[in-house]
Amino acid sequence: MGESSNGCSHDRTDVHHVKRDGYWGSDGVTTLLGAQILPQRPRFVRERAELPGHILEPAWAGTRVLVRIGHGEPHFLGYDGPVDGPRELYEAIVAVARCETATLDGVLVDDWKDESDLEVDDSGNAYTRQFGSRQIFAAFDLLEVDAEGLLEVPLLERKRHLEGVLTSSQNVRLTPFVTRALRTWHDTLVTQGFRRAVLKNWNSSYAPGKTNDDWLLVEKLKAPPPR
């Protein structure tokens, strides 16, 4: 159990310090050769066979951002630099983060609607409750927490730290993922309205601002080749 000086605590295993010159400034602000770190980019492939040693998660439709907690502005960083994001959503993210500082990777999802519920009114008539749309933040990676860098920590371990630092709420979601039966779950995601999914090497480090084969944005996932 880690506990910060402001009384916030979070369940996570000890993080090895991987701060390096050019990545983490002395003030804890994320930097890359003097510039702010930008999100790692997935490589797009239309079709790919299911791969061992990979996870699969949905590809959210929205604006890809890094969310910087406790580092001052800018609060949101996209592929090309600072992104305007709603202050209310940023405050909602901070409210469920059990840490003093963090750099989260995820997507600002517009027009999110909760699932409709079938209810019965006082007269016994069934009706579907309609919910208005709103913007949410869907988190899927953690690059830094309380000034401890995680860039070289394997993906699955970073996700475990993320689950210990961030709590899901009405406006903040932890992105689900699977480590097996990837093709079956991909088919399920398609039925839920996701056009694409992301294959990620579960032992991969984080490559800020770069595109490589560790993250693959796929439209169709094929069965693995026979052994």
Side-chain angles (χ1 to χ4, degrees):
M1 171 80 73
E3 186 165 349
S4 57
S5 60
N6 65 357
C8 297
S9 62
H10 39 87
D11 295 311
R12 55 186 171 92
T13 56
D14 291 336
V15 179
H16 297 292
H17 286 264
V18 291
K19 299 178 186 178
R20 291 188 173 184
D21 292 339
Y23 280 101
W24 303 98
S26 59
D27 59 356
V29 177
T30 52
T31 60
L32 178 61
L33 300 178
Q36 291 155 335
I37 280 182
L38 301 179
Q40 177 173 333
R41 298 172 180 262
R43 188 183 304 282
F44 174 73
V45 291
R46 190 169 302 279
E47 186 176 83
R48 181 58 58 94
E50 183 175 326
L51 297 171
H54 283 65
I55 68 168
L56 186 75
E57 62 187 26
W60 298 95
T63 303
R64 176 77 180 282
V65 292
L66 300 182
V67 178
R68 293 157 34 86
I69 296 174
H71 294 307
E73 295 187 356
H75 296 317
F76 300 99
L77 282 172
Y79 287 134
D80 299 316
V83 171
D84 289 332
R87 183 173 185 83
E88 295 80 5
L89 182 55
Y90 176 75
E91 291 174 348
I93 298 168
V94 172
V96 295
R98 298 188 292 272
C99 57
E100 285 189 339
T101 71
T103 303
L104 310 168
D105 194 353
V107 177
L108 298 178
V109 181
D110 296 320
D111 298 325
W112 172 266
K113 292 184 179 180
D114 292 309
E115 293 184 1
S116 300
D117 293 332
L118 186 64
E119 300 187 12
V120 178
D121 62 20
D122 294 338
S123 301
N125 300 312
Y127 70 97
T128 301
R129 180 185 295 273
Q130 300 295 330
F131 297 98
S133 62
R134 65 182 186 280
Q135 189 176 47
I136 67 168
F137 175 63
F140 53 70
D141 213 332
L142 178 66
L143 312 188
E144 168 264 334
V145 58
D146 289 336
E148 295 178 350
L150 303 177
L151 294 181
E152 296 185 9
V153 172
L155 173 63
L156 279 184
E157 187 174 344
R158 297 200 308 271
K159 282 187 171 290
R160 284 194 291 269
H161 292 312
L162 176 64
E163 292 171 356
V165 167
L166 200 66
T167 302
S168 291
S169 69
Q170 183 180 22
N171 297 307
V172 180
R173 301 298 172 97
L174 289 170
T175 299
F177 66 94
V178 295
T179 59
R180 62 184 67 182
L182 306 189
R183 185 163 173 252
T184 299
W185 201 54
H186 178 269
D187 293 341
T188 300
L189 292 176
V190 171
T191 64
Q192 294 177 345
F194 289 96
R195 294 180 53 199
R196 297 170 178 171
V198 188
L199 271 173
K200 294 182 177 180
N201 181 337
W202 66 39
N203 282 322
S204 62
S205 58
Y206 194 92
K210 297 181 180 179
T211 304
N212 60 35
D213 290 333
D214 285 330
W215 290 15
L216 299 176
L217 182 65
V218 299
E219 287 187 347
K220 183 177 181 181
L221 194 63
K222 301 186 297 182
R227 296 182 178 180

